[in-house]
Amino acid sequence: MKILVTGGTGYIGSHTVVELQNKGYEVIIVDNLSNSSADIVDNIQEISGIRPLFEEFNLINREKTADFFKRHNDIMGIIHFAAFKAVGESVQHPLMYYRNNLDSLVNILQGMIDNGIPNIVFSSSCTVYGQPDELPVSENAPIKKAESPYGNTKQISEEILSDTAKTSDLNVIALRYFNPIGAHESAIIGELPLGVPNNLVPFITQTAIGIREQLSVFGNDYDTPDGTAIRDYIHVVDLAKAHVIAVDRMIEKNMNKQIEIFNLGTGNGYSVLEVIKSFEKVSGQKLNYKIVARREGDITQVWADPEFSNKELGWKAEKGIDEMTLSAWKWEQALRK
Ligand code: UD1
């Protein structure tokens, strides 16, 4: 059974390809390598023993996307990861974000409808909840006005999917991720930020390995126990496994509704300082960090209510924070060898 993974050479995409292959799916990756490299296809093969098919093109190209779907109309389902994801960059270049993240989705949906491909899993984000009024945040929490064009593309994408489903046979599972971190246990694939990392954990590991001088902790005056902001960090392999379950659910026709939405988090919140402590413990390294001003647009705290996903998908995040930071550290060390 053939599954298309867009953005399959990216961070979450590559881990998901491995898990799909482990479950016997045939995977075809489409990626324009804008934030990854073709070596990842080799790395995936090294882990799973199976080389995924790979086509390099940009899904915002309408003709190329239409042609792709014509050639691969036997695809049973799509997991759509391919998107830009840097919050700050999206504020600087809003049109780049809207064009890239929305045009690609529209082209994919057109290809699905034209070729009778029924199932799509969409990469959404907890950013759609903004700073939730209640914690933990369940799937029924209200969608807040997006803080960034990036966040807005996730909200609009969910709306595009919902509107399209109303007038077609499309099945949609939108997965709202909390903060994915960590790497595959083999340390053969992991997160590969281009340039200076925006996200916490790659910044920590790059500082520890000596590429960055010092980590800036953005604010210790939040209304939290230690004053630093709290997130629900989830191991990328736990996240990847949830995608395989979502694909199974669609193919086995186990969905309760045409559109289903699930939170993917652990249900546990950790502060920035707690993540640093976990890293220091598992790595035996003392991290060079300093407290600086808050980062614009950051919320105080968010963590998931994963109960609906646990119950409906029969999925639960299994790996704890120390396993997450240790795997990230092993990956960083392997990368720099
Ligand atoms: C952000 C986006 C999320 C997106 C994710 C991946 C929001 C609200 N969230 O998550 O939608 O999917 O990036 O790109 O826009 N921190 C530091 N120092 C650093 C880096 C981060 O202290 O150098 C702190 C942040 O202030 C935050 C926490 O670490 O409290 C996590 O930050 P980060 O890893 O960037 O993720 P989010 O901002 O939560």
Side-chain angles (χ1 to χ4, degrees):
M1 269 205 258
K2 203 197 267 182
I3 304 296
L4 164 64
V5 181
T6 76
T9 54
Y11 174 42
I12 307 174
S14 57
H15 289 82
T16 301
V17 171
V18 168
E19 296 306 320
L20 284 166
Q21 292 177 322
N22 287 345
K23 282 283 303 267
Y25 286 106
E26 181 189 356
V27 177
I28 177 158
I29 294 173
V30 170
D31 202 304
N32 68 348
L33 305 181
S34 67
N35 192 21
S36 59
S37 76
D39 310 346
I40 307 300
V41 179
D42 303 330
N43 298 353
I44 290 169
Q45 181 178 9
E46 195 179 331
I47 297 172
S48 68
I50 305 159
R51 191 166 188 84
L53 297 172
F54 170 54
E55 292 200 21
E56 181 186 342
F57 68 91
N58 195 333
L59 290 153
I60 72 171
N61 185 312
R62 228 166 127 175
E63 286 75 36
K64 283 190 182 157
T65 307
D67 172 67
F68 171 86
F69 280 110
K70 240 185 255 160
R71 288 185 287 111
H72 295 284
N73 59 9
D74 56 340
I75 286 171
M76 293 295 292
I78 297 174
I79 308 181
H80 179 41
F81 292 107
F84 291 156
K85 59 160 191 178
V87 177
E89 183 184 59
S90 79
V91 175
Q92 297 304 315
H93 303 285
L95 294 182
M96 186 172 112
Y97 269 67
Y98 287 116
R99 191 187 300 283
N100 187 69
N101 291 6
L102 300 180
D103 280 8
S104 54
L105 177 64
V106 171
N107 290 341
I108 289 167
L109 291 174
Q110 192 65 59
M112 293 176 76
I113 288 168
D114 292 347
N115 294 283
I117 298 167
N119 302 315
I120 182 164
V121 177
F122 178 69
S123 248
S124 191
S125 167
C126 72
T127 193
V128 303
Y129 301 118
Q131 175 61 68
D133 301 323
E134 279 175 37
L135 288 167
V137 57
S138 83
E139 291 82 353
N140 301 320
I143 302 292
K144 294 279 177 73
K145 186 174 165 19
E147 295 267 359
S148 68
Y150 159 74
N152 207 17
T153 66
K154 292 298 175 192
Q155 295 189 3
I156 298 170
S157 294
E158 287 194 8
E159 288 171 2
I160 292 174
L161 287 160
S162 155
D163 291 341
T164 311
K166 278 181 200 144
T167 60
S168 68
D169 297 329
L170 203 71
N171 297 314
V172 180
I173 295 184
L175 300 176
R176 292 180 178 159
Y177 314 150
F178 285 68
N179 286 55
I181 61 170
H184 194 265
E185 59 176 3
S186 64
I188 295 171
I189 53 173
E191 192 169 5
L192 265 177
L194 276 186
V196 184
N198 295 305
N199 298 112
L200 177 63
V201 170
F203 209 108
I204 290 176
T205 56
Q206 287 195 10
T207 305
I209 207 106
I211 299 173
R212 311 283 155 209
E213 203 182 312
Q214 191 173 47
L215 169 77
S216 295
V217 173
F218 298 136
N220 69 347
D221 56 352
Y222 285 102
D223 185 14
T224 61
D226 67 21
T228 63
I230 295 177
R231 300 287 183 270
D232 185 339
Y233 296 92
I234 174 168
H235 197 293
V236 66
V237 173
D238 279 332
L239 197 72
K241 287 179 176 164
H243 290 75
V244 181
I245 292 172
V247 166
D248 290 344
R249 181 177 176 91
M250 295 181 127
I251 289 177
E252 290 161 12
K253 301 199 190 322
N254 283 334
M255 292 174 70
N256 295 329
K257 296 190 293 184
Q258 211 185 338
I259 298 205
E260 294 184 325
I261 293 175
F262 297 102
N263 280 344
L264 297 183
T266 64
N268 303 313
Y270 288 95
S271 73
V272 176
L273 289 179
E274 285 173 326
V275 175
I276 293 172
K277 271 192 209 118
S278 162
F279 173 80
E280 288 184 331
K281 184 174 89 186
V282 301
S283 68
Q285 303 270 321
K286 187 92 195 76
L287 191 74
N288 181 18
Y289 70 90
K290 67 163 188 264
I291 309 288
V292 302
R294 292 182 182 194
R295 182 172 69 178
E296 208 186 328
D298 273 350
I299 58 172
T300 304
Q301 51 187 354
V302 65
W303 59 90
D305 178 350
E307 200 188 309
F308 184 63
S309 306
N310 295 168
K311 211 174 86 222
E312 270 301 312
L313 295 178
W315 165 90
K316 201 170 188 305
E318 283 167 357
K319 296 174 194 289
I321 190 72
D322 290 345
E323 243 179 300
M324 300 185 214
T325 53
L326 180 60
S327 67
W329 178 231
K330 286 189 174 157
W331 158 246
E332 186 72 61
Q333 289 173 300
L335 197 61
R336 308 301 163 188
K337 258 196 192 135

